[in-house]
Amino acid sequence: MRGSTRLWRYAVVSSLALLIVPALAVADSSPQPLTYGVSMNGFYNNRLYASNTTQDASTLAPAAEPQIASDNYGNFFLSSELGLGGGTDVWSSQTAGQTFQYSGTVNLASSSVPVTAGGGDTAVAVAPVANAQGYQNVYVASLSLGNVTVSTSQDGGKTYTSNYVTSIPGDDREWVAASGPSTVYISYHDLATDNIDVERSDQAGAAGSFQIVGEAINPLSNPDVVGATNDNELGNIVASPGGRYVYQIFVAAVGAEENTEGLPMRAVYMGVSTNGGQTFTDYTVTIAPEGTAFGSQFPMVTLDRQGNVYAVYSDNHNIYMSVSSDHGQTWSGPYQVNQTGPVLNPLSTNLLSTPGAFIANPNSNPVADGLPEAYSLNSSPGSYYSQELIPAYSNTSIEPWAVAGDSGKIDIVWYGTNMTTGADGQPATDTTDDHVHWSVFMAQSTNALSGAPTFTVAPISPVVHRAGVCEAGVSCTANGEDNRDLYDDFGIALNHQTGNAVVTYSSDQL
């Protein structure tokens, strides 16, 4: 189980809106300082509260793993989980992501739907076509392990129906996608079979309308793909606006022997359906050398407006992108997305001894802004610096999310740090060394179809976390040391009116 059961803790869910190319450094230059809330660089950074009436710590959203989607009119819809049984918080923005209004909690049990409430792993999707009332339906899904709950808004996110439920023996990490005015898909890891089940409703998720229509892992379609047992990890599901194509990305081992032995999941596959999810053909996106593992949360798929397909995935060190212009049948890439730079010596007595490794936060103020201040390994009072230090490069890159826009244009975000190990000798994701600073990074390519895409890369947030980022789901806290402060994913969506991106992410730096 990846991201289902939550420890009750406070995390800040922030939204970050940014302009496209002019706001970022050119692809082959060093990352440039970014100013939050200053229009000259086009970035706007805002904490998201449970309501807009107060802004004290008691109203910070006790949530994590936010997801976000947008309609055709520049409106945004955001969901964030409250843990199994706790339901799903939802917000909407009619101000192009500059402000969000709290809409309440959905996916709760009710007298009309007497089932276990959702609240784990959330996902949100928006129908590409308006309904009869002129709104694009908004679908918010979440997990209870015994079923998947889906709540629907047919009035632009103002109100949501009581949760519509599909019951299965056991499930983990559901995803949701929409096509047409009222067709909605969900996919999830079926705990009984280890396959990826796909369900569809053609009635906007109405009660009883979801039916299992197919399984994404189809060994008959690809000699490298074997039965679903043991080794596979699903990513999100997407559908083309008209519903002709449905795409389900997943990673798995290569062949029966590797699968049986539980060897690293070094292959990325794309399941493609042309009959509404009933049958899938699994095409190979890429196969890495033995020892590489793409099993980190989560592989991502996104479509641009011309129907080109992009797969984004991580080996827990770097972020990669592959591209298909024939509906997932053949792929170019992989192309490395993140930009690496000077690697810090984790045993240094002064983190600033590696020039160019950090960017000073332009907004840092040790008195007024409440942001945590960076420090060196020297514990003496004189070692503290007056500005928070943001990683300038992403030498360790995890948890990617992506959204494509016009043909060949894609934005990709992830959590990154300039360190590869901590002072304790452990990899950056496993270390207990809180001098490992993580920020949100963004890359943008405007020539992703060129065969040699280039990326503009920069950090776009303050430090959101220190020390390791455990990616082993609920088992992370078993040893009493690892933490899940950032949990397993976050999100990005496009303003289809302006092309601007809105990123939502978690931070534990109160």
Side-chain angles (χ1 to χ4, degrees):
M1 182 171 61
R2 289 293 184 183
S4 304
T5 304
R6 307 294 171 210
L7 298 178
W8 189 263
R9 67 175 309 281
Y10 283 91
V12 182
V13 180
S14 300
S15 64
L16 180 68
L18 55 151
L19 298 179
I20 304 187
V21 176
L24 299 177
V26 294
D28 58 354
S29 69
S30 299
Q32 299 299 304
L34 305 177
T35 304
Y36 311 103
V38 177
S39 60
M40 62 176 291
N41 282 320
F43 287 85
Y44 179 78
N45 193 20
N46 185 38
R47 284 183 176 138
L48 184 64
Y49 297 85
S51 74
N52 291 330
T53 57
T54 59
Q55 291 191 351
D56 59 74
S58 65
T59 62
L60 291 177
E65 294 188 350
Q67 301 286 278
I68 192 168
S70 58
D71 64 15
N72 294 334
Y73 312 110
N75 302 312
F76 291 87
F77 307 93
L78 189 150
S79 65
S80 193
E81 62 195 74
L82 295 173
L84 293 178
T88 307
D89 272 349
V90 290
W91 295 261
S92 65
S93 172
Q94 285 75 46
T95 58
Q98 298 290 321
T99 59
F100 281 82
Q101 297 294 321
Y102 182 57
S103 303
T105 303
V106 300
N107 291 335
L108 291 171
S110 66
S111 57
S112 61
V113 189
V115 297
T116 304
D121 298 332
T122 181
V124 59
V126 176
V129 179
N131 58 29
Q133 291 73 43
Y135 295 100
Q136 293 169 251
N137 291 343
V138 183
Y139 304 101
V140 178
S142 64
L143 189 72
S144 75
L145 290 184
N147 55 61
V148 173
T149 60
V150 180
S151 293
T152 304
S153 174
Q154 300 184 68
D155 58 6
K158 298 180 181 67
T159 61
Y160 286 81
T161 58
S162 298
N163 45 312
Y164 302 132
V165 177
T166 175
S167 296
I168 53 175
D171 55 76
D172 194 18
R173 208 355 165 169
E174 91 301 332
W175 303 94
V176 63
S179 67
S182 58
T183 296
V184 55
Y185 296 87
I186 59 172
S187 64
Y188 50 83
H189 205 183
D190 189 324
L191 296 183
T193 67
D194 280 329
N195 212 312
I196 300 170
D197 291 349
V198 176
E199 300 197 22
R200 188 184 76 231
S201 165
D202 295 318
Q203 302 173 37
S209 65
F210 273 106
Q211 300 292 329
I212 295 178
V213 291
E215 294 180 329
I217 299 178
N218 179 7
L220 298 178
S221 67
N222 188 326
D224 291 329
V225 176
V226 296
T229 57
N230 202 21
D231 262 2
N232 67 82
E233 178 69 78
L234 82 164
N236 62 321
I237 186 173
V238 300
S240 59
R244 181 178 179 182
Y245 297 96
V246 179
Y247 300 93
Q248 175 64 62
I249 191 171
F250 64 98
V251 298
V254 179
E257 183 177 353
E258 289 189 16
N259 181 76
T260 301
E261 295 178 5
L263 296 182
M265 293 177 274
R266 62 187 181 99
V268 181
Y269 300 105
M270 188 69 68
V272 182
S273 174
T274 58
N275 58 5
Q278 296 178 62
T279 57
F280 283 82
T281 299
D282 297 335
Y283 297 101
T284 300
V285 176
T286 189
I287 296 178
E290 292 184 9
T292 301
F294 292 130
S296 303
Q297 298 95 304
F298 286 101
M300 290 289 121
V301 54
T302 184
L303 310 179
D304 68 23
R305 293 188 179 96
Q306 299 302 312
N308 299 300
V309 190
Y310 304 83
V312 179
Y313 43 95
S314 170
D315 63 0
N316 232 32
H317 302 286
N318 298 304
I319 305 294
Y320 298 96
M321 178 189 76
S322 296
V323 183
S324 173
S325 297
D326 58 5
H327 306 292
Q329 296 182 59
T330 61
W331 294 83
S332 62
Y335 308 109
Q336 183 172 321
V337 174
N338 59 299
Q339 192 176 73
T340 58
V343 178
L344 295 175
N345 176 2
L347 299 179
S348 171
T349 58
N350 187 341
L351 293 182
L352 292 180
S353 62
T354 305
F358 285 108
I359 291 174
N361 181 358
N363 276 12
S364 185
N365 183 317
V367 176
D369 71 357
L371 292 172
E373 308 306 323
Y375 47 89
S376 75
L377 292 176
N378 187 339
S379 60
S380 66
S383 71
Y384 285 77
Y385 299 107
S386 61
Q387 287 194 319
E388 181 187 44
L389 301 179
I390 303 169
Y393 292 93
S394 186
N395 294 320
T396 302
S397 309
I398 61 172
E399 299 185 13
W401 195 276
V403 61
D406 289 338
S407 180
K409 298 181 179 180
I410 184 172
D411 293 338
I412 302 169
V413 292
W414 66 92
Y415 291 124
T417 178
N418 49 10
M419 301 184 76
T420 57
T421 63
D424 54 8
Q426 297 299 309
T429 52
D430 299 334
T431 184
T432 58
D433 179 6
D434 63 359
H435 296 84
V436 178
H437 296 182
W438 297 84
S439 289
V440 178
F441 281 75
M442 177 171 167
Q444 182 179 87
S445 178
T446 60
N447 63 348
L449 301 177
S450 68
T454 55
F455 296 92
T456 299
V457 183
I460 62 171
S461 82
V463 172
V464 297
H465 175 69
R466 287 175 168 79
V469 181
C470 183
E471 300 172 274
V474 294
S475 63
C476 285
T477 55
N479 62 9
E481 294 182 350
D482 291 335
N483 68 76
R484 298 187 67 207
D485 289 3
L486 294 183
Y487 296 99
D488 302 320
D489 52 60
F490 58 115
I492 181 173
L494 283 183
N495 183 330
H496 295 292
Q497 298 287 310
T498 66
N500 292 352
V502 176
V503 182
T504 179
Y505 58 91
S506 296
S507 172
D508 60 12
Q509 300 296 296
L510 296 180

